[in-house]
Amino acid sequence: MTVLRLKSGTSWSDTYARCVRAAPEAFTSDRLLNLVRGEWRPVGTPGEATTPLDGTEIPGPPRIDVDEAHRAVAFAIAEHGRWGAVPLDERKARVLAAVESLAEHRDLLALLLVWEIGKPWRLACADVDRALDGVRWYLENIDRQSAGRVPLPGPVSNIASWNYPMSVQVHAELVQVLAGNAVVAKTPSQGGFHCLTLAHALMRRAGLPVTLLSGQGSSLADALVQAPGLGALAFVGGRANGRRAATALADLGRRHFLEQEGLNTWGVWDYSDWPTLAAHLRKGFEYAKQRCTAYPRYVVQRALFPAFLDTYLAVLASLRFGHPLAVADPADEFPALDFGPVIHAAKAAELRAHFDAAIAARGIPLHRGDLAAGSFLPDFLPDQSLDAYIAPSCVLNPPASWALHHSEPFGPLDSILLVDTESELLAAMNAGNGSLVASLATDDLDFAARVAPDLLAFKVGINKPRSRGDREEVFGGLGASWKGAFVGGDLLVQAVTFGPEGPDEKLYGNFPSYSLYPPR
């Protein structure tokens, strides 16, 4: 039996020591600092955190109070005015310097994502690379994108989720800065704060007007959402918090783009290309489906269920999961995993409880995976915690009363619904009241053309999945999955600048008073 060990040089103590050496202004030997009022300061109460990999205690985010947050925002507002007067060529040079510095520390940023949020190495590197490649594209296009436009009247406030700290949050901030805005960002409470601290230390060194603070979102909302003088709010998170933010913004007339959860679905109808679908399904399990464009729901034509089930179960059997740093020899390459843990032990327990609740209400337990199939470190680290790990599971025909019948699990817990008519398929695929993406697997392209326009999803794939997209591709959501301006490509710059019409400019988006949707 092969004994697995931790890859050489990747322990948490080694990783944190590298952070202290790389950015001593932001990391001390035992705590993180907040980047407020232009400097890294030991303000806020250091939090407690554990890594999902094995339960190791790591420094948590230093949570500040709302008064300190207001002071930080006030400084950012003043800095915004100065930054908006900096010529575009100078802004481009400083953003490029930040990108090059981030690229130099790419492996350390990726390793922090492995430890903090459980991403396998390949996916952690992809998160960093996607952020940097995306910003390079904006550097090449910003002259055209910003022509005739001016920065917002105040900085952009960023409240983002923990799952993509680099390719979503840092990427967006760098584009906002490039467009002439100062930015204020909050570290997610559940993870990613070490990676963001290192990234913002490098961004600040390049002379960029960035603020990074930690704290409970509900406590800091008065400063980060409603403070007078802010120019826009960029939010990525759940519907409950997004709804509160939208309500707070209702009377402010402030630019906003609020990405919220959605129950993304695959519909399978009159279909025969099972090997192609199998490849899509397998890739869909990357990072344990902890992303906004994951597909946790399959709506399948009843007559096709035997063939779908053979395909789906074979995919589950092929998945590789476990500790992202477990290798047979400490000098080996990083393991090629589809996913590691979910974000924390409480989330894993919640998913197990959802599975049990579905079965108790007469759902069919189609599959319940076993952690014994994963790769862990019992001999090397006998006391490691596996509480944040969960094997893939699936419920067939979950009851309508199930908590996840209308919302996303954000983990490897799937559900399958069997249908007999097109109307049933549409109703089941639209159960989540709006989503970011949906897909149809079908040999009948006329059927796809007829059904796709009635799906409550911003992007619809025909025999392929859809993703968030950047650069030339617009991103948004329909229904309750999105509020405010759509982003992606030129629209991201438009959302954080004013055109000749000023504040009255109409943007593509999902607004209460009007909706302008570009082609899907």
Side-chain angles (χ1 to χ4, degrees), residues 149 255 494-495 497-507 511 514:
R149 307 188 67 83
R255 288 280 178 92
Q494 292 176 21
T497 56
F498 281 159
E501 302 91 344
D504 296 326
E505 177 183 28
K506 297 296 185 183
L507 301 176
F511 297 96
Y514 68 95

Side-chain angles (χ1 to χ4, degrees), residues 370-428:
D370 191 336
L371 288 185
S375 300
F376 301 105
L377 302 166
D379 297 295
F380 181 66
L381 294 174
D383 297 327
Q384 69 172 325
S385 170
L386 301 184
D387 290 349
Y389 292 85
I390 182 169
S393 299
C394 182
V395 176
L396 175 64
N397 283 343
S401 60
W402 191 37
L404 296 182
H405 191 67
H406 302 286
S407 60
E408 62 178 347
F410 226 64
L413 173 55
D414 288 343
S415 57
I416 299 173
L417 276 72
L418 303 183
V419 297
D420 298 293
T421 68
E422 289 185 22
S423 297
E424 289 178 321
L425 180 134
L426 278 171

Side-chain angles (χ1 to χ4, degrees), residues 100-132:
E100 291 175 343
S101 184
L102 290 164
E104 291 175 6
H105 292 81
R106 177 254 204 180
D107 286 0
L108 179 54
L109 291 164
L111 189 56
L112 288 169
L113 294 179
V114 175
W115 274 106
E116 288 195 84
I117 61 177
K119 282 197 172 182
W121 176 251
R122 174 178 60 87
L123 300 179
C125 291
D127 190 8
V128 179
D129 292 343
R130 183 179 173 188
L132 303 185

Side-chain angles (χ1 to χ4, degrees), residues 70-95:
H70 273 294
R71 287 191 287 272
V73 170
F75 179 90
I77 291 170
E79 192 169 41
H80 176 85
R82 296 189 294 272
W83 180 250
V86 173
L88 177 57
D89 285 346
E90 176 64 18
R91 298 202 304 264
K92 289 166 61 177
R94 294 195 200 180
V95 170

Side-chain angles (χ1 to χ4, degrees), residues 277-351:
L277 183 61
H280 292 320
L281 298 184
R282 191 177 194 284
K283 185 171 177 58
F285 274 94
E286 287 185 345
Y287 194 38
K289 299 198 173 185
Q290 295 177 107
R291 60 187 187 282
C292 63
T293 54
Y295 289 79
R297 171 70 56 83
Y298 306 98
V299 181
V300 182
Q301 187 178 13
R302 191 179 304 274
L304 296 182
F305 181 58
F308 176 85
L309 184 60
D310 288 344
T311 302
Y312 179 75
L313 292 180
V315 167
L316 294 188
S318 72
L319 295 173
R320 298 163 298 182
F321 66 93
H323 193 298
L325 304 176
V327 293
D329 185 292
D332 283 352
E333 296 298 317
F334 289 94
L337 301 179
D338 296 295
F339 60 90
V342 293
I343 184 60
H344 49 60
K347 181 63 179 180
E350 173 191 302
L351 291 170

Side-chain angles (χ1 to χ4, degrees), residues 91 144 161 194 237 258 281 463 495 509:
R91 298 202 304 264
R144 171 186 60 80
S161 181
H194 292 82
L258 313 181
L281 298 184
N463 296 321

